Amino acid sequence: MGTFVLQRLLQSIGVLLAVSLVVFLAVYAIGDPVELLVSQEATELERDRMIQILGLDRPIWEQYLTFLGNALRGDLGQSFVHGEPAIQLIVSRMPATFELVFFALLLACLVGIPLGLVAGLHSDSRTSRIIMTGSILGYSLPNFWKGMMLILLLSVWVHWLPTSGRGETVTVLGVPLSFLTLDGIRHLVMPVLNLSIPNMALMTRLTASGAAEARLQDYVRFARAKGVRPQGIVRRHILRNILIPIVTVVGVEFGQLIAFSTITETVFAWPGMGKLLITSIYRLDRPVVVAYIMMITFLFVIINLTVDLIYAALDPRVKLMERAS
Amino acid sequence: MSRPERPVDPMFVPPLVKTPRRSFNLQRLKRRPSMRSAVIALAVVIAAGLLLPLLAPQDPYDLNSFSVMDNRLPPGERSMDGLTFWLGTDSQGRDMVSAILFGLRVSLLVGLTATAIALTIGVTVGLFAVNFGGKIDALLMRLVDFILGFPSILVALVLLAVMGRGVDKVVFAIVAVQWAIYARIMRAAALVERRKEYVEAAQNLGYSNGRIMFRHLLPNSIGAVLVVATIQVAHAITLEATLSFLGVGVPVTRPSLGLLVANGFEFLLSGEYWISVFPGLALVVLIFSLNLVGDRMRRAFEARRA
């Protein structure tokens, strides 16, 4: 286990270095870095000053080391548009995104796992077929269009829910949260639902295939022979065994949802980091885009690492694979 | 491999434990009503996208063929010169039926081209990884893991943010994120095939590596890749639509379905729903039927192998 963790840690650092190099080359070496990093409205004097500050007159490997050093100290440049450090800007948008992602995942599990159990335990029934085909539909609806249809249905036609923004927030430990006020919840409903539907479909399918398999295993037959009641079998034997892949997928999906929240946040004007990325791309606010790429890579490296470790902890086969190789 | 292979796309990847299933052959598959309707829907949509632009009432790329006077007419209204807009018009007075047919063509073109290129690259990489093994294999698969470790939408978004919009650039971005999936599947399938006796026989006959790779391994393991390809076309089309919706995809001059939906976004709140609803519906029919056919094909394929 120790070597496994160490190995994965080293790999993660390698990934971060690789991405930083690619981003660095894309921004500094291929394009004209002055044009990319200095605002178009800058005067000649400001340009020269920036070239000096950024060290663009020095050799490229030295520039990369400076970039890396600054990045390690948490400095990825200033936003042109907002005039504050790019990292600070992104961090300030994180709570909104995480709130959305958390509730979307929660909803996906609450709806998807029971639906999947129903479909998997009676896999030959009509209900099961409807659920499974429905899950493909849920997965096929393009995120942005589905969001717009929700707005059309629930805001434009019946005026139930607001179309955009976070609504009233309550600040807990310095973090603004929407779900603690009624207005905030009303703003949360549609974005969360929109983000959650493909995920519900995924949870449903995963649980269904797991349950359909587990149902035929020997331990289920033994439990039945022992006289355990059906609910007990489902809860204690089937559900517990299919939770391993589900936990892993929840981890992976956490990252996926952060990526997909970019679309949902754009449709519902939700002030998270995904919306920030899109507006920064529009406004050519490159330091923010660069900082976003580096931060999201960091986030994904951590997520992937955690998922692998959980996987290794839950599934003894991984350790065996280590020993064999 | 230090890491257990996590599913590429958990949505459509077989479970880890194999158990006997009901047999599921192609003949029975064809008779399933859902399958039949999905295949028909798919055929209709693809035919419409490829052929009907020739018959479309208007050429949406030709500014002279429509008039801004007809802008934002609801479905069923008539134009000044007597043309009926069955699905309404957009903000520039374009007939939505024509716009959708042309948009469908762009979406299909991008999706199919990107899939074809990504599949070719992925299959080649997978074959080379199996053939050369060792360090090259490990290196290639690390690269694949690295790419698949990030959500495709994010990678494509960032690539296009750097490159700018354009049909070729969207195709490039989709290929960049999708080849890795084919490479992984191809490698897994070819690894299984290589252990079989006919490969050993071919080696003993003194056939060259290249010949064994392309004449023996390729045709025998391509099935697994092709089954996944149907669903990957759906992914590619969704990806293109999403990128275009976000404003980094195809250029405004060649709107795909995703861009048409985006164009209608600003009019949605005032109730002019048809500008974004109908292109989106076309997109959903296309993606849903592709996914449905792909899912059934995968199940049939698995049942046949088991």
Side-chain angles (χ1 to χ4, degrees):
Chain A
M1 195 68 193
T3 30
F4 179 69
V5 174
L6 195 69
Q7 204 181 0
R8 292 291 296 118
L9 263 175
L10 286 177
Q11 273 169 13
S12 306
I13 294 171
V15 166
L16 273 174
L17 280 176
V19 172
S20 74
L21 190 63
V22 170
V23 170
F24 174 81
L25 286 178
V27 175
Y28 288 75
I30 297 172
D32 178 3
V34 182
E35 195 192 307
L36 285 173
L37 290 171
V38 181
S39 161
Q40 254 113 25
E41 286 107 60
T43 61
E44 198 62 30
L45 208 70
E46 282 174 328
R47 272 177 67 99
D48 290 346
R49 212 172 62 86
M50 280 307 280
I51 289 180
Q52 241 182 3
I53 292 177
L54 297 169
L56 296 175
D57 39 1
R58 275 174 284 159
I60 188 109
W61 59 268
E62 208 181 313
Q63 287 184 40
Y64 174 65
L65 288 183
T66 319
F67 169 82
L68 208 61
N70 285 341
L72 282 178
R73 274 184 277 116
D75 175 12
L76 287 166
Q78 293 259 332
S79 157
F80 300 151
V81 179
H82 302 267
E84 47 180 308
I87 294 235
Q88 198 181 313
L89 199 63
I90 294 171
V91 169
S92 73
R93 302 294 180 89
M94 269 184 174
T97 298
F98 283 174
E99 187 176 20
L100 207 58
V101 168
F102 174 78
F103 283 107
L105 263 181
L106 190 69
L107 185 65
C109 291
L110 288 179
V111 176
I113 294 176
L115 276 183
L117 272 181
V118 171
L121 293 177
H122 314 278
S123 48
D124 291 330
S125 70
R126 178 178 283 269
T127 326
S128 162
R129 275 217 293 278
I130 292 174
I131 292 176
M132 294 310 271
T133 308
S135 75
I136 296 183
L137 179 64
Y139 190 73
S140 300
L141 296 172
N143 225 297
F144 58 95
W145 186 74
K146 174 166 33 99
M148 288 166 64
M149 292 307 104
L150 283 174
I151 291 181
L152 185 67
L153 214 69
L154 298 177
S155 299
V156 179
W157 285 348
V158 299
H159 303 290
W160 282 354
L161 294 168
T163 56
S164 63
R166 273 189 91 176
E168 208 179 305
T169 56
V170 177
T171 308
V172 181
L173 303 171
V175 179
L177 295 171
S178 288
F179 76 99
L180 294 172
T181 66
L182 189 65
D183 186 47
I185 292 175
R186 278 164 48 83
H187 281 84
L188 258 175
V189 174
M190 281 199 293
V192 165
L193 191 63
N194 190 46
L195 195 55
S196 184
I197 285 176
N199 217 256
M200 276 178 203
L202 179 68
M203 290 293 167
T204 305
R205 292 184 74 84
L206 203 70
T207 314
S209 72
E213 305 240 349
R215 177 168 76 108
L216 303 174
Q217 300 293 322
D218 285 343
Y219 57 77
V220 171
R221 282 201 302 171
F222 282 130
R224 195 171 291 145
K226 218 166 67 181
V228 182
R229 276 177 309 160
Q231 301 103 305
I233 294 180
V234 170
R235 210 176 46 240
R236 249 179 300 155
H237 298 273
I238 294 181
L239 199 55
R240 196 167 283 186
N241 272 292
I242 58 181
L243 273 181
I244 298 176
I246 292 178
V247 168
T248 326
V249 166
V250 166
V252 177
E253 284 304 298
F254 180 72
Q256 291 283 339
L257 285 188
I258 290 178
F260 275 102
S261 71
T262 311
I263 307 157
T264 299
E265 285 174 13
T266 305
V267 174
F268 294 97
W270 185 264
M273 49 197 273
K275 176 106 173 58
L276 180 70
L277 173 69
I278 301 294
T279 29
S280 300
I281 291 175
Y282 283 147
R283 293 180 180 172
L284 304 178
D285 197 351
R286 277 113 179 184
V288 178
V289 177
V290 170
Y292 182 90
I293 299 173
M294 288 317 296
M295 287 200 60
I296 207 84
T297 311
F298 188 63
L299 206 64
F300 267 91
V301 162
I302 292 179
I303 291 171
N304 284 343
L305 188 65
T306 319
V307 168
D308 281 350
L309 293 184
I310 293 178
Y311 204 101
L314 288 180
D315 192 339
R317 276 174 299 182
V318 175
K319 271 172 249 168
L320 288 176
M321 275 167 69
E322 281 310 297
R323 219 166 288 156
S325 67
Chain B
M1 280 307 323
S2 61
R3 186 205 285 203
E5 295 233 330
R6 278 198 258 115
V8 177
D9 181 350
M11 196 63 195
F12 296 106
V13 157
L16 295 167
V17 199
K18 283 258 182 271
T19 40
R21 271 166 199 277
R22 257 173 344 134
S23 76
F24 208 103
N25 63 35
L26 269 172
Q27 289 309 313
R28 255 185 67 194
L29 187 72
K30 281 186 204 149
R31 270 184 263 123
R32 285 281 287 273
S34 62
M35 180 68 181
R36 194 182 285 173
S37 40
V39 169
I40 292 173
L42 194 59
V44 168
V45 174
I46 290 179
L50 294 181
L51 304 173
L52 278 187
L54 304 169
L55 304 172
Q58 271 181 6
D59 178 359
Y61 301 149
D62 178 11
L63 290 172
N64 294 320
S65 70
F66 51 90
S67 155
V68 89
M69 302 290 285
D70 293 329
N71 81 89
R72 290 189 270 152
L73 292 175
E77 287 277 316
R78 277 167 175 279
S79 81
M80 319 280 262
D81 40 341
L83 183 72
T84 308
F85 299 120
W86 294 111
L87 298 179
T89 59
D90 71 0
S91 61
Q92 285 160 29
R94 246 187 294 243
D95 169 40
M96 284 312 293
V97 177
S98 315
I100 289 172
L101 289 174
F102 276 81
L104 193 59
R105 173 180 267 191
V106 177
S107 295
L108 279 171
L109 194 78
V110 171
L112 293 175
T113 318
T115 304
I117 300 176
L119 193 141
T120 313
I121 297 178
V123 162
T124 315
V125 169
L127 270 181
F128 273 91
V130 168
N131 190 50
F132 294 111
K135 282 237 163 62
I136 295 177
D137 180 33
L139 198 72
L140 286 173
M141 286 307 118
R142 279 263 75 95
L143 185 64
V144 166
D145 282 347
F146 171 67
I147 291 174
L148 295 181
F150 295 91
S152 49
I153 177 71
L154 212 57
V155 179
L157 187 62
V158 166
L159 281 177
L160 286 169
V162 175
M163 294 189 300
R165 60 206 293 184
V167 173
D168 50 341
K169 286 163 185 155
V170 176
V171 170
F172 175 83
I174 297 175
V175 170
V177 294
Q178 288 205 334
W179 71 269
I181 297 165
Y182 297 111
R184 182 182 275 182
I185 295 168
M186 187 65 193
R187 176 181 174 271
L191 267 182
V192 174
E193 285 302 315
R194 210 185 45 166
R195 286 192 216 107
K196 294 196 177 160
E197 274 175 358
Y198 68 84
V199 175
E200 206 180 312
Q203 277 165 342
N204 290 338
L205 281 170
Y207 287 164
S208 70
N209 260 343
R211 179 174 174 151
I212 294 176
M213 231 162 52
F214 290 103
R215 295 282 295 276
H216 298 268
L217 285 182
L218 179 66
N220 282 302
S221 37
I222 194 98
V225 176
L226 292 180
V227 162
V228 174
T230 317
I231 290 161
Q232 288 303 319
V233 174
H235 273 288
I237 291 173
T238 313
L239 202 55
E240 180 279 319
T242 308
L243 292 165
S244 299
F245 173 79
L246 292 175
V248 295
V250 295
V252 203
T253 46
R254 295 204 63 191
S256 67
L257 291 175
L259 194 57
L260 290 176
V261 174
N263 289 341
F265 193 18
E266 53 179 313
F267 306 108
L268 192 69
L269 291 182
S270 48
E272 282 145 350
Y273 62 90
W274 57 90
I275 310 179
S276 44
V277 167
F278 295 125
L281 268 180
L283 198 57
V284 169
V285 172
L286 178 59
I287 297 171
F288 183 44
S289 42
L290 272 172
N291 276 337
L292 212 56
V293 172
D295 180 58
R296 301 286 192 263
M297 266 171 52
R298 179 192 55 87
R299 275 160 54 181
F301 182 74
E302 263 167 34
R304 205 175 48 142
R305 297 194 110 188

